[in-house]
Amino acid sequence: MRIQFAALLFCCAAGATAQTDTQAAVNARLVEALTCGGDSLEIVRSLAGKPEAIAGFGMTISANVADGYDEKIDVNLRDPLSLGAATTRKVSLALESPYEDFQGLVFAEFKGDPAAMVRHLGLVPGKTASYAIARYVSRNAREGDCPAHIGMSVLGKDRFVLGCGWCNG
């Protein structure tokens, strides 16, 4: 009986670890999408294409079926996603931004200190750059190019929107 209990305990612990690893992998992919570490649109679209794969750890997908500029996907998170010291519970893909001074394509509203995030990601003011998608942008974006780059705009004292995008040029 003791051996069966130990085997059951090991089995369940291994399953919990596998689920946590999967959730950690999905979280890492979402951070990658937000920080232009890969094909941001493809990362979110691939998650939306397999909602059952992420439902087990409290993530849900809200997506429309529209193509083109009307496309909208939300990855809703039961547990907060952390980037630096900030957290969010939703990562979105939208080709038409709902924000006035933020034009990222994959983004999230974060709770946390905007100034700390600027320092954490090494962002610089983007107000005079033609390629700027937000109030602050990553240093790797260059004038005259339209590379994918991180953008961030402050929404309030402890709120900001951050994500990946590129100019329409």
Side-chain angles (χ1 to χ4, degrees), residues 52-70:
E52 66 284 349
I54 62 172
F57 36 85
M59 294 183 181
T60 60
I61 300 291
S62 302
N64 66 14
V65 292
D67 289 328
Y69 287 112
D70 293 330

Side-chain angles (χ1 to χ4, degrees), residues 55-124:
F57 36 85
M59 294 183 181
T60 60
I61 300 291
S62 302
N64 66 14
V65 292
D67 289 328
Y69 287 112
D70 293 330
E71 181 180 15
K72 175 108 168 84
I73 299 170
D74 291 325
V75 180
N76 302 294
L77 311 165
R78 176 186 62 205
D79 300 323
L81 176 69
S82 296
L83 180 58
T87 60
T88 187
R89 288 189 181 268
K90 180 171 70 172
V91 176
S92 300
L93 177 156
L95 301 183
E96 289 289 328
S97 177
Y99 302 98
E100 187 174 318
D101 69 343
F102 180 84
Q103 299 304 312
L105 302 175
V106 174
F107 54 89
E109 276 191 34
F110 283 88
K111 290 182 182 177
D113 180 6
M117 186 59 69
V118 166
R119 288 188 304 275
H120 177 73
L121 294 176
L123 304 177
V124 296

Side-chain angles (χ1 to χ4, degrees), residues 20-69:
T20 302
D21 289 345
T22 302
Q23 184 172 1
V26 171
N27 286 350
R29 294 286 288 162
L30 289 171
V31 168
E32 183 181 0
L34 289 167
T35 59
C36 304
D39 185 338
S40 299
L41 298 177
E42 180 55 34
I43 290 169
V44 176
R45 286 174 178 150
S46 68
L47 290 173
K50 300 176 186 172
E52 66 284 349
I54 62 172
F57 36 85
M59 294 183 181
T60 60
I61 300 291
S62 302
N64 66 14
V65 292
D67 289 328
Y69 287 112

